[in-house]
Amino acid sequence: MRNPFRNLRWLYRTNQPIPAGYRRNFFHLTFDMAWFGVLNGSTIAFLSIYAARLGGTSLQLGLITAAPAIINIIFAMPAAAWLKQRPIEWGVFSTSVMMRSFYLLLIPLAFLSSNSLQVWVIILIVLVMNIPGTALTVGFNALFGEAVPIQWRGYVAGLRNAFYSIFTIVSTLACGWVLSSMSFRTGYQMVFAMGFVGAALSSLNLWFIRPLPQPNG
């Protein structure tokens, strides 16, 4: 069977050739982060701004920002116990789908007539989505360690960070153009739709990442 990653030499320009068995994981780890950059440059970057423009108070905006940390403190240990009972690659993929499905709920949010209600719905979404999000964070760190040999972790991490930065910048600029070209509510719906697409494609890449066989002894 033809290796679909054989011709992606532009992605693997290193002094030391990357073994063919590693390339699949490296490719999907890179584009997982690239698509997350689209999510970061759209929904994540503009969600608090949207809430502020709806008239959100300082307390409400603080809750939106602090929710991930609050949920992480509460659910980190239960998440680790839950992940221990199942294959790490399945735990990471399933929690990514559970978490990122909530981004879809933001798209029709503008149809709610009450601005105040929209802000509270945003807070609720952020709080609930970060329950599986905590498991995703914990599990991904473990999966990364099992999917990338130690001698390649610096290279893969650097590649992920580079793609993340590029895709974040491009998507942020694109969202800025969308918001300046469309009406207030329609523009933010497009921004949230872009974020959901990025989140979905990131999860799709996570599906293909597998732990590598561990050496005996």
Side-chain angles (χ1 to χ4, degrees), residues 3 26 74 97 142 162 167:
N3 183 355
F26 292 5
I74 298 171
V97 172
F167 276 65

Side-chain angles (χ1 to χ4, degrees), residues 26-42:
F26 292 5
F27 175 86
H28 289 294
L29 282 165
T30 299
F31 280 92
D32 153 57
M33 199 57 157
W35 293 120
F36 185 80
V38 174
L39 172 63
N40 183 65
S42 54

Side-chain angles (χ1 to χ4, degrees), residues 77-125:
M77 293 184 66
W82 182 83
L83 288 165
K84 190 176 181 180
Q85 300 172 4
R86 47 196 40 85
I88 189 63
E89 65 272 21
W90 171 249
V92 169
F93 173 72
S94 60
T95 53
S96 76
V97 172
M98 284 188 281
M99 177 191 182
R100 293 167 178 176
S101 296
F102 284 92
Y103 288 112
L104 181 63
L105 301 179
L106 295 172
I107 300 173
L109 193 64
F111 289 113
L112 293 177
S113 58
S114 171
N115 287 1
S116 177
L117 179 59
Q118 285 192 56
V119 176
W120 284 114
V121 170
I122 290 172
I123 293 171
L124 179 62
I125 289 174

Side-chain angles (χ1 to χ4, degrees), residues 34-87:
W35 293 120
F36 185 80
V38 174
L39 172 63
N40 183 65
S42 54
T43 300
I44 294 176
F46 289 93
L47 186 60
S48 293
I49 298 173
Y50 179 66
R53 293 190 63 181
L54 291 174
T57 65
S58 297
L59 173 61
Q60 290 173 322
L61 298 178
L63 285 173
I64 294 172
T65 303
I70 295 171
I71 297 300
N72 185 69
I73 292 172
I74 298 171
F75 288 97
M77 293 184 66
W82 182 83
L83 288 165
K84 190 176 181 180
Q85 300 172 4
R86 47 196 40 85

Side-chain angles (χ1 to χ4, degrees), residues 129-153:
M129 75 188 301
N130 276 285
I131 297 175
T134 298
L136 172 59
T137 300
V138 173
F140 181 81
N141 290 333
L143 178 61
F144 185 86
E146 294 185 21
V148 182
I150 189 169
Q151 66 269 28
W152 289 103
R153 288 176 192 168

